[in-house]
Each structure stands twice: as structure tokens, then as C-alpha cells.
Amino acid sequence: MPDQQDPYQYSQYPQYPPPQQPYAAASAPRAMAFNTVASQGVPGTAIKALVYVNNQLVAQSQPFTSGADPVQGSRYSTWHGAGSEVRKSKRDAEVHALDWTYDVVANMQGKQNVKNFQVDLVVTSGTCNECKERQQRFVNDIARILPSAKSSRTGQWRIKLQAIYDNNRDYPASAGRPNAQGIPTSSYGYQDGRTERRVSAAALDAGTPYDSSQYFSRSHVPGGSAGYVDPRSLTRDPIPGEPRTDRYSPNQSRTPTPPKPYSPPKGRRGSSPGR
Ligand SMILES: [Zn+2]
């Protein structure tokens, strides 16, 4: 149910015109974002942010890659009291995407009319523990900027960050960032009950031994948990059940086309429909 009129000034993002349909399938920009980040060809991580306001895609970032210094005045590279793992990960791609998205929201006109905010962070590898914390801090910050996105009826926030990641080999989480002794000091990806397995229209890891169209998704909401995964308690269990297709709108409760169960095509495991 889109709002009648869009009060936002898109002119400040001239390269990203608003979509024509309020319910443009989330999967299309998401799949395109996957294609974009997967084709960056960097040894590290690539990420793209898709910003939805009142269920409309209003902005998307350029692809950001890991390894670049954070911008001046970065809010999410590090913070007072942050530990060494945060400092080690301050050049992660997520830092750039979060700083960029924060600026988009902070400068957005008509903020008082935002009833629903979502950012999809489409990224080539699982979110490390420190970026999980960054993402949680981000949604907590956004709740302060967008108080109108709290339902007066239910008291629930309609603010969400979705980590949408390809973690390879179809496991939602893996150990990472080993120290000098080779012991992992962080974990990539999530494995709690909020973590979902889905299948993308994009070809992920095309041509690799892990060729797959599966990705994982885990949302952050204001005041929620960051989803930290202790590398010592990692499980190698895939998420049970069939992955869902990703062709639904950002707000699932209002989607006109509910997600359909995914059925793998005959003969080829892991390939996506319509490819
Ligand atoms: Zn990270």
C-alpha cells in the first residue's frame, strides 16, 4: 500500500531515479546488485546498498570494496571503546556502505513522513562479527533519525537492515580473520533463528567449484541483537528446508506476490529458475 504522494527529493540522487512501480520486485535490483558486486573481481569483499523508503527503492550506492580507508568523519569505522577486532576491520566494505546510507538518510527531505525504512546490503561474503555490530549500531541510529517509522499502534519499528550475503558453499556462517596462530578471531555470516536461506535470480560464484544461486539473509532491527557468532561455536549445518525465492517486496507483510517455495530444476542442483 504505497503512500499517495512521495515527498522525497530525488534530485539529490540524479543517477538513481525512483522506480516507476511502488512494488517493483525486490529481486530485480537485488539480483542486479549481486551481479554488480560479484563482477567487481576484487580479492576482498564488494557491497552495494539499496535503500527503500515506504516500500520504494529511493537510492542505491555504487559498489564499495574492502580495503579502502574510511571516509573522513566515518561513523562506523570505529568508535569509543571499540576493540582491536573493530580496528582490524575498519576498512571492510560494510563501513563504506553504512556511512553512505547514513548520509542518505540524514540528508533526506520529508523524513517526518517515513513510515517504513529498509536498507539491503548486498555483499559478496558473510558479515564479520564487527560489521554485525556496526549494522546493529546503524539501525539503532536510524531509529533516532526516523521516529515516524515507529508504529504508534503496535510500538514496533518499521526499520530494517537486511544483510544479504553470499557465503559460498551454502553454509550460512564460517570462521574467519585468523590471528598469528591461525585461530579465527571472527565469524563471517549469521546462524541464528533470524537467518534465512534464499535463492537468487543472479548467478553467484559463477564458474567456481561452489557455483550456486543461494544466498543468505539476516535482518537487523532497532534494539535487536547483532547476531554475533562465536567462532568457537560455529556449526557447519546448512539451514534446513528449501530456500525461498527472493521475488518479494521489501515489506513482506504487504507483498502482493507472496514468496513461493523454491523447487530445484531437474538435473542441476543449485541453479536458479529463469536463468
Ligand atoms: Zn566486517
Side-chain angles (χ1 to χ4, degrees), residues 89 92 94 128 131 134 177:
S89 58
D92 280 5
E94 287 88 345
C128 77
C131 289
R134 290 183 172 100
R177 210 183 298 132

Side-chain angles (χ1 to χ4, degrees), residues 45 85 89-95 126-132 134-135 177 186-188:
T45 299
E85 291 299 319
S89 58
K90 71 177 184 183
R91 290 182 184 81
D92 280 5
E94 287 88 345
V95 172
T127 314
C128 77
N129 279 340
E130 292 61 45
C131 289
K132 293 174 185 119
R134 290 183 172 100
Q135 294 177 171
R177 210 183 298 132
S186 192
S187 297
Y188 298 145

Side-chain angles (χ1 to χ4, degrees), residues 15 43 117 125 157 198 250 261:
Q15 69 275 42
F117 174 87
S125 69
W157 285 103
R198 297 185 185 169

Side-chain angles (χ1 to χ4, degrees), residues 174-205:
S174 55
R177 210 183 298 132
N179 63 13
Q181 288 75 46
I183 298 166
T185 58
S186 192
S187 297
Y188 298 145
Y190 304 79
Q191 62 178 24
D192 62 8
R194 299 178 71 96
T195 314
E196 289 185 41
R197 186 164 60 116
R198 297 185 185 169
V199 63
S200 175
L204 311 177
D205 320 308

